[in-house]
Amino acid sequence: MKKTASINNIYISVLFKLVYLFINGYSLKLHISFYSIGYNIHMFSYFTVLSNFLCFIVISAFLVRVFYQSVSSIKTKNKFDYDSLFSTKYKFVNGMALMSILLTFLLFHFVIARYKYAIAAKGVLALPPKDLYAHYLVPFLFTLDWVLFTPKKGYSNITPLLWLLYPLTYFISILIRAFLLPSQSIFKLNTFPYFFFNIHKMGINKFILYIVLIMIAFLVVGYTIFGIEKYLSKKYSFLK
């Protein structure tokens, strides 16, 4: 049997991903309103919500590919090609989403929740449901899906650097939105979702320092994923 650091069982993988989509979908539901467009636009200015949504799209895209390949295999009477589901593009976006969702957990657990909810005294389960789902359950399950079902090969030494395109695009879009739109713009699109974006209050030097530190944090998480991938691919094999 060929060694592989992932479980190559399409049925288990699909079942796990369906459960994940249900939980992630519920998490997103907790962050949106069916009655206020402005509220939804505001919520989707937060990196956490966008990262939850990115993970939802990644898993959904995988399941769509499974469906189409299954139909194609039935029509052509060819064997279902499990490995082809993990294209280079898919694994790249999957890793980028993993980096992003892990950082949302780390920043929330070790920084935000410490002063906002005092979880050290009350415990994680005392958090509001939307924070518990978005910052803990969704990141944990997405990471578990990567560990169990994603083949551990394909990342290059510069892949974590390329993953920075996602947070950089987010940062730039927020700044463009905040500075180019008029002060009375609809849905308050000119507001800053996080304090470290507010150059007016912090000044340019502090703003640059925060952005640099955050990008370094992304790199650390990205290269940790890269290192874990290399380790798992060499040391472990999972059942087919």
Side-chain angles (χ1 to χ4, degrees), residues 111-160:
V111 180
I112 298 174
R114 296 290 163 174
Y115 69 83
K116 187 175 181 181
Y117 297 113
I119 63 170
K122 299 180 180 179
V124 170
L125 295 180
L127 292 170
K130 69 176 184 178
D131 287 314
L132 188 60
Y133 275 84
H135 294 103
Y136 290 89
L137 195 53
V138 168
F140 171 75
L141 291 176
F142 192 83
T143 302
L144 187 60
D145 178 81
W146 179 81
V147 170
L148 293 179
F149 303 111
T150 303
K152 306 302 180 294
K153 57 182 179 179
Y155 297 158
S156 71
N157 293 334
I158 65 168
T159 297

Side-chain angles (χ1 to χ4, degrees), residues 70 87 148:
S70 299
S87 64
L148 293 179

